[in-house]
Amino acid sequence: MAYREKLKNASGFWFLRVLFLFYAFVAATTTAQQRQPQRHKNAYATMMYMGTPRDYEFYVATRVMIRSLVRLHVDADIVVIASLDVPLRWVQALEQEDGAKVVRVENLNNPYKDQANFDRRFKLTLNKLYAWNLVDYDRVVMLDSDNLFLEKTDELFQCGQFCAVFINPCIFHTGLFVLQPSETVFKDMIHELETGRENPDGADQGFIASYFPDLLDKPMFHPSLNGTKLDGHYRLPLGYQMDASYYYLRLRWSVPCGPNSVITFPGAPWLKPWYWWSWPVLPLGIEWHKHRLQTLGYSAEMTMVIIQAVIYLGMIAVTRLAKPNMPKLCYRRSDKSISIIQTGLKLVAVWSILASYIMPFFLVPSTLHPLLAWPLYFLGSFALSTIAINSFFLPILPVLAPWLLIFGSLLVMAYPWYSNGVVRALAVFFYAFCSAPIVWVSLTKVMSCLQVSLEREIFFPRLGESSPPSGFNKLY
């Protein structure tokens, strides 16, 4: 009896142990499934590659676009097609901080890179063809980084095998298009690359446009109310990719066809909206930075901003307190040496003034918010200008005249109550026309004051003669 009782207790113990392990396994499996991001049947996709001078800027732009999609709670995965040379820390930020799925790919060889009209910055844009290889998804909306989402556009997943927007009246734009992934189509595209399909620009735009040459004759896409997916090729309404240039004509949106959901910024690469100098030259730049402020923020640039501001304030304080002069060298009088010295000093003075306006422009972080970047630029320009003023005994107002005129031009461009873009352009032109004589008079005044200083031998007194008083730093 004792043996049976002991055996019964042992069996109960092992039963409880097995039951506990089973529940632990179920709990661990459930937790692991919860940690895995939910997979959707559709995806928004973009691409990222290295090899251009603006890799970091496009990385920031990509993250802002991804965050704008997440903020809209889109019912789709967000995929980044990243080449193998994209830094690992960028990939981790995209996955862990932005919630994107990163697909690593090898760069596709661009057979058009030797064309006469080829732009080197488009060398790797054919990586966009990898979107057709995302066969785990029913539909993919392929995007460029210079898109800004205003509204949710999940209805695009109802479109057919290929759908795109005609920004240009005759050629659709590949900054946003809908596709049905297909391994067959992907392999055929790679084959077309190898056989040398005609490509007008050597980039993704020309290749995809030549691969779907008859899209202009296709019907317009209208989403169905029951969510049914369409078959075939369709044109997308312009409201799904509003060209920013349409806005600048009227300084407001007037796109009647389709929902005004997405803004795109094609055009000059150095006037993309994430560059701080693009606003107020292009008014919509502030809209992009507003989205970045609400999503990604500017913590990556703030350290550099603080360091530059402290250095500039230190320059102003030192120049104000010390009032440094040029070294007073002794020389023997010689008409030839006087002419050479005077010419050299004039060149140094002019270049120092030009440098005070040019150098701060390149030191400001390129993707900083304009309302932070412009004050930092003006602070740096003022700090460097004070060095030139005190070193060469120049009058303050003529040297700072361009500083004031640049500030005035920003006010003219940022004025928010123009009736349309034409009036704004005329106002900017009129301001520039009126500013030109002021710049010329200021330059003449600076050169004349510098000449007077040289004739009075302030900088280089003759050998055996006493130097002028140290307090002599004003000419008038």
Side-chain angles (χ1 to χ4, degrees), residues 334-387:
S334 168
D335 292 339
K336 184 177 181 179
S337 63
I338 291 175
S339 175
I340 294 175
I341 291 172
Q342 290 182 350
T343 302
L345 279 174
K346 287 180 181 179
L347 288 176
V348 171
V350 171
W351 278 108
S352 65
I353 294 173
L354 288 176
S356 67
Y357 288 99
I358 295 174
M359 286 181 59
F361 185 87
F362 292 100
L363 295 177
V364 177
S366 58
T367 56
L368 189 62
H369 195 290
L371 297 182
L372 285 175
W374 280 112
L376 185 62
Y377 166 78
F378 283 118
L379 179 62
S381 180
F382 180 81
L384 296 177
S385 296
T386 56
I387 296 177

Side-chain angles (χ1 to χ4, degrees), residues 59-203:
Y59 161 69
V60 173
T62 300
R63 294 194 65 187
V64 171
M65 184 182 68
I66 290 173
R67 292 288 186 96
S68 70
L69 286 169
V70 172
R71 192 164 176 261
L72 292 171
H73 304 290
V74 294
D75 185 20
D77 284 345
I78 299 175
V79 178
V80 178
I81 302 171
S83 59
L84 296 177
D85 53 357
V86 172
L88 182 59
R89 65 182 186 278
W90 290 7
V91 172
Q92 292 174 343
L94 291 167
E95 291 178 335
Q96 300 173 10
E97 300 177 23
D98 302 333
K101 297 177 182 295
V102 179
V103 178
R104 307 303 294 269
V105 298
E106 293 184 0
N107 291 324
L108 290 177
N109 178 51
N110 192 324
Y112 311 103
K113 55 181 177 291
D114 296 326
Q115 287 185 177
N117 63 336
F118 183 70
D119 192 333
R120 305 300 298 179
R121 63 192 175 98
F122 296 138
K123 181 180 178 180
L124 299 177
T125 56
L126 290 175
N127 286 0
K128 190 176 290 186
L129 302 185
Y130 278 113
W132 273 270
N133 204 35
L134 300 175
V135 292
D136 292 336
Y137 299 102
D138 293 343
R139 295 289 190 275
V140 172
V141 177
M142 189 65 196
L143 305 165
D144 281 349
S145 300
D146 57 355
N147 286 309
L148 182 63
F149 280 78
L150 305 180
E151 297 179 8
K152 193 173 180 179
T153 58
D154 287 354
E155 68 274 10
L156 288 175
F157 297 121
Q158 300 177 27
C159 204
Q161 280 67 45
F162 184 80
C163 312
V165 179
F166 280 81
I167 293 179
N168 181 296
C170 301
I171 303 175
F172 63 83
H173 192 250
T174 58
L176 182 151
F177 58 87
V178 185
L179 65 108
Q180 181 180 14
S182 168
E183 189 174 353
T184 302
V185 174
F186 176 70
K187 290 180 178 179
D188 185 62
M189 286 181 163
I190 300 302
H191 175 72
E192 292 289 336
L193 283 179
E194 295 172 349
T195 56
R197 170 183 281 273
E198 183 181 357
N199 188 345
D201 59 7

